[in-house]
Amino acid sequence: MSRIRCIISDYGGVLTAPIGHSWRIWARNEGLDIELFERVMADLWVGGKDEALGTGLELGTVSQPELERYLAERLRYADSSPVLPHGLIDRLWAALRGEPDMVGVLRRAKRSGYLVALLSNSWGMGYDRTGWDELFDAVVLSGDIGMRKPEPEIYRHVAELLQVEPPECVFIDDLSANVRGAAAVGMVGIHHIGVDTTIAELEALLGGQLR
């Protein structure tokens, strides 16, 4: 019998198509200089020269307009014309397409009696929240609470909201560092590299069909 009572999922890259691929398509459709776009975005991730800005946005200490101004100052269209800052982050999020098979799996798990939660490092708040009230028993966005993955406190926080212990949770994320963070507090981690493999791992853990 599975001891798992709760499924906690990341948002971007798990409940949506892969982030990097989606953002490259957006940048191309916007007419941006793609190579410059990729360099600028890489600077904001962990290990990048402007990591503090990206981390600050996730923690809520850097505002969305601040990061939009940063991006607008550094990005250029392919014809070298400048980029206006207003709405950049929201347009980035709008480029992410949902992953209906993963959302469907969570819905079926919830109907089977499992708790379902969302845990996301937020880049702004432009999420498509359609159906969230019905699907999620708890929603934790890093910018709302001043903690971010893979800090151990954020995993414990979502478990406390659900009134479960960390070993009773399975956590799904497309970034291995975040999965390791969950495992460090006792959760079962699934590194999401594709819909089929993640669903197979969940079915093995829960002992039942989810499709």
Side-chain angles (χ1 to χ4, degrees), residues 25-39:
I25 291 173
W26 171 82
R28 189 171 292 111
N29 290 339
E30 285 270 316
L32 296 177
D33 179 326
I34 300 297
E35 291 184 3
L36 177 60
F37 173 79
E38 293 187 346
R39 290 197 302 272

Side-chain angles (χ1 to χ4, degrees), residues 89-125:
I89 300 298
D90 286 344
R91 295 206 302 279
L92 273 173
W93 275 116
L96 292 178
R97 297 292 175 256
E99 187 56 76
D101 285 347
M102 282 302 304
V103 174
V105 161
L106 296 185
R107 287 196 182 112
R108 284 186 284 280
K110 186 175 176 69
R111 287 198 296 267
S112 297
Y114 292 95
L115 298 168
V116 176
L118 181 72
L119 174 56
S120 176
N121 283 355
S122 53
W123 258 50
M125 294 298 175

Side-chain angles (χ1 to χ4, degrees), residues 42-186:
D43 284 341
L44 292 168
W45 296 115
V46 173
K49 67 179 184 179
D50 293 316
E51 174 189 344
L53 277 172
T55 299
L57 185 68
E58 292 178 345
L59 290 172
T61 58
V62 171
S63 71
Q64 184 169 321
E66 284 179 272
L67 192 68
E68 287 175 333
R69 287 193 294 272
Y70 163 92
L71 292 173
E73 289 170 1
R74 287 158 179 79
L75 297 175
R76 288 292 181 271
Y77 288 105
D79 63 4
S80 298
S81 59
V83 175
L84 296 177
H86 181 69
L88 272 176
I89 300 298
D90 286 344
R91 295 206 302 279
L92 273 173
W93 275 116
L96 292 178
R97 297 292 175 256
E99 187 56 76
D101 285 347
M102 282 302 304
V103 174
V105 161
L106 296 185
R107 287 196 182 112
R108 284 186 284 280
K110 186 175 176 69
R111 287 198 296 267
S112 297
Y114 292 95
L115 298 168
V116 176
L118 181 72
L119 174 56
S120 176
N121 283 355
S122 53
W123 258 50
M125 294 298 175
Y127 294 84
D128 179 0
R129 303 177 189 231
T130 305
W132 281 20
D133 289 343
E134 294 77 21
L135 178 58
F136 298 121
D137 297 288
V139 171
V140 175
L141 305 177
S142 64
D144 283 338
I145 60 171
M147 296 183 282
R148 63 186 287 275
K149 299 173 292 185
E151 296 171 359
E153 293 80 10
I154 198 167
Y155 303 101
R156 296 189 182 107
H157 176 72
V158 68
E160 288 170 4
L161 289 177
L162 295 165
Q163 299 182 332
V164 297
E165 296 299 321
E168 297 176 299
C169 303
V170 57
F171 172 73
I172 307 165
D173 202 292
D174 60 321
L175 297 181
S176 58
N178 294 339
V179 176
R180 290 194 298 271
V185 303

